[in-house]
């Protein structure tokens, strides 16, 4: 039989659908073979397999990490896995700093709460508008996003971030002929504003003195001198490009700086001392900031970690190819891009390059001047914040002017006190006006404090009559008006129990300090506490505001930052609601019910616990307090996690947990009476309520079994649920342990 007859017979027996399938498979195979042959010079370079054949993968990753979860970009994920004119505008910047100072000063006077993140953006946008057009456009004056510029720019950047990774996608979306055919052109309000300012400028020319001229006046001069290149449309594009490019990155860097400062009050104090040491006026002159090395470190570190250029801009490899430092060769027909964000992880930055450490930019103790300059020069060479060489950002100097001045001016006059845990674009703070005095000393041993107790009878379940003098010390400490306050340190470790123990005077736990007195505040400050972490939910706090007007829902303790880290974002976990939800705790096997409740806390609490663990990792010299409502369940699980990371035996962890029974004192009896009197359907009986409010060793032992069996132990839990690395865990353990004999 002839070959043609065979093929004809085969075709007749094969359906068209099957033929289409064969065609697709063969085409895909040919596509892969072609690309493998074409890119054979890149076989030794690691990376995701699918990215070898299509840019769609990069576009997907850019979209997935567009919001920078946990502060990272997809470039870092890949990197981890595979490896005179400017100073002329200083008076204009001073004008905008004065506006911001006035706003923060009024907030401090009213003791109101404001989102410092938003005001960072408002300041940066109004400042560049003032320099460009001669007038701000009202961000600071109105306290809102004018013309929706911030929102629209963020949306545009999100689109560009994806399209630059897969350019052909743009022709399917915004450059699609069908889309363009039906799109109605509507000029944005901002462009209308820009046109009006250009018109005003032409009608009222400015002074010839260059120090008094706006950027717009320079653009119009360029139009006059080069009319064939610069027309009205080009001037308008210059203005819009300048204002948008000159506001996006500076605003986000300033946001990052303020967010970090809110989370690190010690750094605010250090900047305050540095600014005051220069005895300069406000707004701080740029010349004075040159004598502030810690300020420079904060700003340089924020530049580095901000990684504004997280869009990989490709460049064509030269025709003769490119030899990489490791010996591999890129052929000339390739496009290559440097990942700016992953450059921040370069070991040239020293130990832990992924961490925020301003002191890496400063001269270290014992470091020679020559060694310091050599180290700084090496870091500067790999710093791509403003790019390098002929492609360096022309707005670099103005951004320096703006940020150095505003950060120094704010830190020299105000302190930001956290109201709740910062989130992206949401950093609620209370503004405190500095009085000129500051103390940054933090004693390593607690100063003797008074043991007086409240004479007035308790009027709410958040106050206790328990006499602190009757409690064992250590670990309990007298903080007037705060039940169940104790140090979690002093316990022996499993290894070398006679010579190693958990560090004392570092981590404290308690019930909600809503009834703390002035004496209690003094006692708390004497311990050196800088921060308190509140594990309660917003709904729980609001219930206190509504039902217990005599109790501070969020205790106002000047000088100690309150950081909200709710285990449950929306769920009310107050003792009253707890009684309704867990009435079954004592009906049968109460320990099993507690184990289930603590498993839920572990499942939901990873993000909250992670914030506290980062304090342990990064701020080992700053004592802190953690609490929930009564300092038993959520606080107990967190403390158990910390003690297990340190290496404490289960039996000792359980014994520490059970101290809450004596720590709550009469508070427990008061709450039992209150809950029993509620009379609501589903609320447990008196003996069941007593069991629910109890803190028994067997309950914590059950929790630790859950931690080991379901979550694979404390270290595995922290790595997965708190999103921390093994080096992070090692550093946390190191900061929790001391070479001292136990005292408990």
């Amino acid at each position: 039989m002839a070959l043609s007859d065979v093929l004809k017979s085969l075709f007749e027996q094969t359906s068209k659908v099957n033929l289409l399938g064969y065609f697709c498979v063969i085409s895909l195979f040919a596509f892969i073979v072609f690309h493998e042959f074409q890119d054979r010079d890149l076989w030794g370079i690691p990376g995701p397999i699918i990215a070898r054949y299509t840019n769609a993968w990069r576009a997907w990753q850019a979209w997935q990490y567009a919001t920078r979860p946990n502060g990272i970009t997809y470039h870092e994920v890949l990197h981890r896995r595979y490896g005179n004119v400017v100073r002329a505008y200083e008076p204009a910047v001073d004008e905008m700093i004065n506006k911001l100072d006035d706003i923060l000063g009024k907030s401090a006077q009213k003791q109101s709460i404001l989102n410092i993140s938003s005001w960072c953006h408002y300041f940066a946008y109004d400042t560049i508008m003032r320099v460009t057009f001669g007038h701000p456009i009202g961000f600071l004056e109105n306290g809102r996003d004018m013309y929706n510029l911030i929102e629209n720019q963020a949306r545009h950047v999100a689109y560009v971030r994806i399209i630059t990774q897969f350019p052909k996608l743009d022709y399917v979306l915004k450059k699609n002929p069908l889309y363009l055919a039906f799109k109605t052109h509507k000029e944005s309000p901002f462009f209308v504003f820009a046109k009006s300012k250009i018109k005003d400028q032409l009608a009222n020319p400015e002074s010839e003195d260059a120090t008094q001229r706006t950027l717009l006046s320079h653009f119009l001069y360029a139009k006059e001198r080069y009319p064939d290149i610069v027309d009205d449309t080009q001037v308008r594009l210059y203005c819009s490009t300048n204002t948008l490019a000159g506001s996006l990155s500076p605003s986000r860097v300033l946001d990052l700086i303020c967010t970090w400062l809110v989370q690190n009050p010690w750094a605010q104090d250090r900047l305050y001392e540095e600014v005051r040491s220069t005895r300069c006026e406000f707004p701080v002159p740029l010349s004075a900031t040159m004598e502030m090395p810690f300020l420079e470190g904060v700003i340089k570190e924020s530049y580095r970690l901000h990684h504004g250029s997280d869009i990989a801009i490709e460049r064509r490899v030269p025709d003769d190819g490119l030899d990489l430092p490791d010996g591999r060769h890129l052929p000339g027909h390739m496009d290559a891009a440097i990942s700016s964000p992953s450059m921040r992880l370069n070991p040239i930055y020293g130990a832990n390059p992924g961490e925020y450490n301003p002191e890496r930019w400063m001269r270290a103790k014992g470091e020679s001047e020559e060694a310091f300059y050599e180290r700084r020069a090496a870091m500067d060479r790999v710093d791509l914040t403003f790019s390098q060489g002929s492609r360096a950002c022309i707005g670099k100097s103005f951004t320096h002017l703006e940020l150095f001045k505003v950060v120094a001016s704010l830190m020299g006059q105000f302190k930001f006190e956290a109201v709740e845990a910062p989130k992206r674009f949401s950093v609620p703070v209370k503004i405190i006006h500095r009085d000129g005095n500051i103390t940054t000393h933090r004693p390593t041993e607690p100063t003797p404090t008074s043991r007086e107790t409240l004479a007035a009878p308790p009027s709410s379940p958040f106050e206790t009559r328990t006499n602190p003098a009757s409690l064992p010390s250590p670990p309990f400490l007298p903080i007037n008006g705060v039940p169940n306050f104790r140090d979690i340190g002093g316990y022996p470790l499993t290894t070398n129990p006679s010579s190693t123990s958990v560090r004392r005077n570092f981590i404290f736990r308690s019930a909600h300090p809503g009834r703390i007195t002035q004496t209690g505040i003094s006692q708390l400050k004497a311990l050196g506490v800088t921060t308190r972490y509140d594990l309660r939910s917003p709904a729980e706090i609001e219930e206190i505001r509504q039902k217990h007007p005599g109790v501070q829902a969020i205790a106002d303790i000047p000088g100690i930052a309150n950081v909200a880290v709710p285990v449950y974002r929306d769920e009310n976990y107050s003792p009253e609601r707890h009684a309704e939800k867990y009435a079954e705790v004592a009906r049968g096997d109460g320990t099993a019910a507690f184990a289930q409740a603590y498993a839920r806390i572990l499942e939901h609490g990873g993000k909250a616990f992670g914030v506290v663990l980062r304090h342990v990792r990064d701020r080992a010299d700053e004592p802190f307090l953690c609490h929930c409502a009564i300092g038993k369940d959520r606080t107990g699980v967190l403390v158990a996690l910390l003690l297990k990371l340190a290496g404490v035996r289960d039996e000792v962890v359980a014994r520490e947990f059970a101290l809450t029974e004596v720590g709550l004192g009469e508070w427990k009896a008061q709450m039992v009476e209150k809950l029993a009197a509620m009379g609501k359907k589903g609320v447990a009986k008196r003996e069941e309520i007593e069991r629910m409010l109890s803190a028994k060793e067997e309950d914590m032992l059950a929790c630790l079994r859950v931690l080991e069996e379901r979550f694979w132990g404390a270290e595995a839990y922290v790595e997965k649920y708190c999103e921390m690395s093994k080096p992070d865990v090692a550093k946390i353990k190191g900061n929790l342990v001391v070479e001292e004999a136990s005292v408990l």
Side-chain angles (χ1 to χ4, degrees):
M1 181 180 291
L3 178 61
S4 60
D5 294 333
V6 174
L7 293 175
K8 182 178 180 181
S9 175
L10 179 62
F11 179 80
E12 291 174 348
Q13 296 176 32
T14 306
S15 68
K16 293 182 178 180
V17 174
N18 286 340
L19 284 175
L20 179 62
Y22 296 149
F23 175 78
C24 291
V25 171
I26 294 171
S27 298
L28 179 61
F29 179 75
F31 176 82
I32 292 174
V33 170
F34 172 76
H35 276 277
E36 287 294 322
F37 179 78
Q38 182 187 46
D39 301 335
R40 60 189 180 279
D41 295 310
L42 303 180
W43 284 352
I45 297 177
I49 293 177
I50 192 173
R52 297 163 72 101
Y53 311 112
T54 175
N55 287 331
W57 182 88
R58 285 198 299 158
W60 161 256
Q61 291 293 301
W63 175 80
Q64 187 178 19
Y65 287 91
T67 58
R68 299 179 180 178
N70 304 312
I72 64 173
T73 69
Y74 88 87
H75 293 278
E76 293 170 82
V77 176
L78 292 178
H79 184 78
R80 291 174 185 176
R81 183 170 180 180
Y82 302 104
N84 289 341
V85 172
V86 170
R87 191 166 296 187
Y89 294 108
E90 187 165 2
V93 176
D94 286 343
E95 178 185 328
M96 305 318 301
I97 292 176
N98 284 332
K99 283 182 176 288
L100 183 59
D101 285 350
D102 185 56
I103 291 167
L104 299 187
K106 289 179 179 178
S107 177
Q109 187 176 13
K110 296 178 181 178
Q111 296 186 330
S112 59
I113 296 173
L114 57 75
N115 180 7
I116 195 63
S117 173
S118 295
W119 291 99
C120 288
H121 292 268
Y122 298 159
F123 168 80
Y125 276 77
D126 255 356
T127 299
I128 194 65
M129 298 296 174
R130 167 65 179 83
V131 170
T132 302
F133 298 110
H135 302 280
I137 64 172
F139 284 89
L140 290 173
E141 183 177 352
N142 296 286
R144 63 183 179 87
D145 183 2
M146 301 299 293
Y147 303 110
N148 290 324
L149 277 179
I150 300 175
E151 179 183 350
N152 291 337
Q153 190 173 14
R155 189 182 299 115
H156 175 71
V157 170
Y159 178 78
V160 170
R161 180 178 287 114
I162 298 171
I163 292 302
T164 53
Q165 308 309 297
F166 194 6
K168 292 179 181 178
L169 190 60
D170 194 29
Y171 292 94
V172 179
L173 300 174
K174 289 194 173 182
K175 292 182 180 177
N176 188 317
L178 292 176
Y179 171 77
L180 295 175
F182 291 98
K183 179 184 177 182
T184 57
H185 178 72
K186 184 179 180 181
E187 200 163 34
S188 73
F190 173 68
F191 276 108
V192 174
F193 166 82
K195 286 172 64 176
S196 68
K197 287 299 179 183
I198 294 172
K199 184 178 179 180
D200 292 344
Q201 181 78 43
L202 290 171
N204 303 286
E206 294 181 345
S207 167
E208 290 298 319
D209 182 0
T211 63
Q212 303 297 321
R213 296 169 65 186
T214 63
L215 290 174
L216 173 56
S217 66
H218 289 287
F219 299 152
L220 291 175
Y221 174 74
K223 174 193 171 187
E224 179 182 340
R225 187 170 182 181
Y226 307 102
D228 295 339
I229 301 175
V230 182
D231 56 13
D232 288 344
T233 300
Q234 197 65 42
V235 169
R236 190 170 55 173
L237 287 173
Y238 287 160
C239 289
S240 59
T241 301
N242 183 72
T243 53
L244 297 180
S247 56
L248 180 62
S249 289
S251 66
R252 295 199 175 187
V253 172
L254 183 58
D255 187 358
L256 174 61
I257 291 171
C258 288
T259 300
W260 184 78
L261 290 173
V262 167
Q263 295 172 309
N264 295 271
W266 66 268
Q268 296 187 56
D269 293 343
R270 185 167 177 179
L271 284 174
Y272 174 76
E273 291 179 328
E274 194 170 65
V275 172
R276 289 290 180 174
S277 68
T278 65
R279 301 183 181 278
C280 59
E281 59 185 9
F282 295 99
V284 175
L286 180 63
S287 57
T289 66
M290 297 177 183
E291 303 173 27
M292 303 177 189
F294 187 66
L295 172 67
E296 182 191 21
V298 168
I299 292 177
K300 290 282 286 184
E301 192 73 342
S302 298
Y303 283 156
R304 185 178 72 87
L305 296 181
H306 164 61
H307 48 72
S309 302
D310 65 350
I311 301 172
I313 306 299
E314 299 175 352
R315 295 290 181 268
R316 180 57 56 92
V317 175
D319 292 340
D320 55 352
L322 176 67
D323 292 325
L324 299 178
D326 62 1
R328 285 177 289 188
H329 180 80
L330 296 181
H333 65 275
M334 292 291 170
D335 291 331
I338 295 177
S339 171
S340 175
S342 60
M343 287 292 289
R344 74 179 189 165
L345 302 178
N346 194 307
I348 201 71
Y349 290 115
N352 303 313
E355 298 180 3
Y356 194 114
N357 178 17
E359 293 183 345
R360 75 173 77 246
W361 299 94
M362 301 168 62
R363 183 176 174 182
K365 185 176 181 180
E367 185 178 29
S368 68
E369 186 174 359
E370 181 180 358
F372 169 61
Y373 283 123
E374 183 177 346
R375 180 171 62 83
R376 270 295 302 265
M379 292 195 296
D380 288 335
R381 282 194 296 271
V382 299
D383 183 6
L384 295 180
T385 301
F386 296 96
S387 192
Q388 295 277 10
S390 62
R391 296 184 180 273
C393 175
I394 60 175
K396 174 180 179 179
S397 298
F398 178 77
T399 300
H400 288 340
L401 168 73
E402 179 182 11
L403 293 182
F404 273 80
K405 286 177 61 65
V406 70
V407 175
S409 298
L410 295 184
M411 288 296 100
Q413 301 175 84
F414 305 104
K415 186 165 186 176
F416 303 153
E417 186 175 287
V419 175
E420 61 182 57
K423 299 187 292 292
R424 193 173 187 230
F425 302 143
S426 178
V427 187
V429 298
K430 279 187 176 180
I431 306 297
I432 300 173
H433 207 294
R434 296 280 195 178
D435 58 6
N437 298 315
I438 185 170
T439 301
T440 57
H441 172 66
R442 301 181 184 91
T444 55
E445 295 293 333
T447 303
T449 56
S450 170
R451 293 182 178 271
E452 66 176 339
T453 56
L454 291 173
S459 58
S460 94
F462 298 96
E463 186 176 347
T464 178
R465 285 180 178 176
T466 302
N467 186 348
S470 66
L471 297 174
S473 179
F476 288 95
L477 294 165
I479 303 296
N480 203 289
V482 184
N484 201 21
F485 189 98
R486 62 187 190 266
D487 190 337
I488 76 163
Y491 293 96
L493 306 188
T494 303
T495 57
N496 301 321
S498 61
S499 59
T500 57
S501 61
V502 180
R503 181 180 165 196
R504 298 175 62 197
N505 306 314
F506 179 31
I507 304 174
F508 303 94
R509 61 178 294 178
S510 74
H512 164 50
R515 284 283 186 176
I516 191 169
T517 66
Q518 286 299 317
T519 299
I521 291 175
S522 299
Q523 293 167 332
L524 193 60
K525 288 185 174 181
L527 297 175
V529 173
T530 63
T531 311
R532 64 186 193 274
Y533 292 97
D534 188 345
L535 300 169
R536 298 172 300 158
S537 68
E540 188 175 345
I541 294 171
E542 184 58 29
E543 181 169 311
I544 295 177
R545 287 196 179 99
Q546 298 294 330
K547 296 187 176 182
H548 305 288
V551 179
Q552 295 183 80
I554 299 177
D556 184 14
I557 307 178
I560 298 179
N562 181 73
V563 180
V565 284
V567 170
Y568 300 104
R569 169 56 57 181
D570 301 315
E571 186 173 350
N572 188 335
Y573 209 81
S574 64
E576 294 92 333
R577 303 289 80 75
H578 193 48
E580 297 172 1
K581 295 174 184 177
Y582 295 99
E584 74 276 14
V585 164
R587 298 170 187 165
D589 189 351
T591 297
F594 271 117
Q596 294 176 11
Y598 294 159
R600 291 185 67 246
I601 291 174
L602 287 167
E603 289 170 357
H604 291 271
K607 184 174 293 187
F609 296 163
V611 175
V612 179
L613 288 168
R614 286 175 178 82
H615 184 126
V616 178
R617 181 192 67 185
D618 299 333
R619 299 157 62 186
D621 60 342
E622 294 185 42
F624 67 92
L625 167 67
C626 53
H627 71 84
C628 49
I630 64 176
K632 184 175 84 78
D633 298 320
R634 287 162 291 185
T635 304
V637 172
L638 171 59
V639 169
L641 188 64
L642 289 165
L643 294 178
K644 289 305 297 177
L645 286 174
V648 177
R649 295 198 326 272
D650 287 2
E651 297 84 348
V652 178
V653 175
R655 191 172 75 232
E656 193 284 334
F657 171 78
L659 287 172
T660 294
E661 286 274 37
V662 294
L664 291 176
E666 292 185 10
W667 184 96
K668 178 181 175 181
Q670 298 163 19
M671 181 55 72
V672 169
E673 293 296 327
K674 177 181 178 180
L675 294 179
M678 287 172 64
K680 291 184 179 180
K681 182 179 179 180
V683 176
K685 298 177 182 179
R686 182 183 300 273
E687 61 270 24
E688 295 170 348
I689 294 172
E690 290 179 347
R691 179 66 178 94
M692 184 198 74
L693 294 176
S694 65
K696 296 184 176 296
E697 292 187 25
E698 57 262 36
D699 298 337
M700 178 48 63
L701 290 172
C703 173
L704 296 176
R705 285 194 295 271
V706 169
L707 178 63
E708 188 65 34
E709 296 168 5
R710 187 180 303 183
F711 300 94
W712 298 90
E715 292 188 22
Y717 173 88
V718 169
E719 290 175 19
K720 180 178 180 180
Y721 287 84
C722 303
E723 301 180 338
M724 306 191 81
S725 65
K726 290 185 183 298
D728 291 334
V729 174
K731 189 172 183 181
I732 289 169
K733 293 172 69 173
N735 289 340
L736 287 172
V737 176
V738 292
E739 296 286 337
E740 294 177 4
S742 64
V743 297
L744 293 165

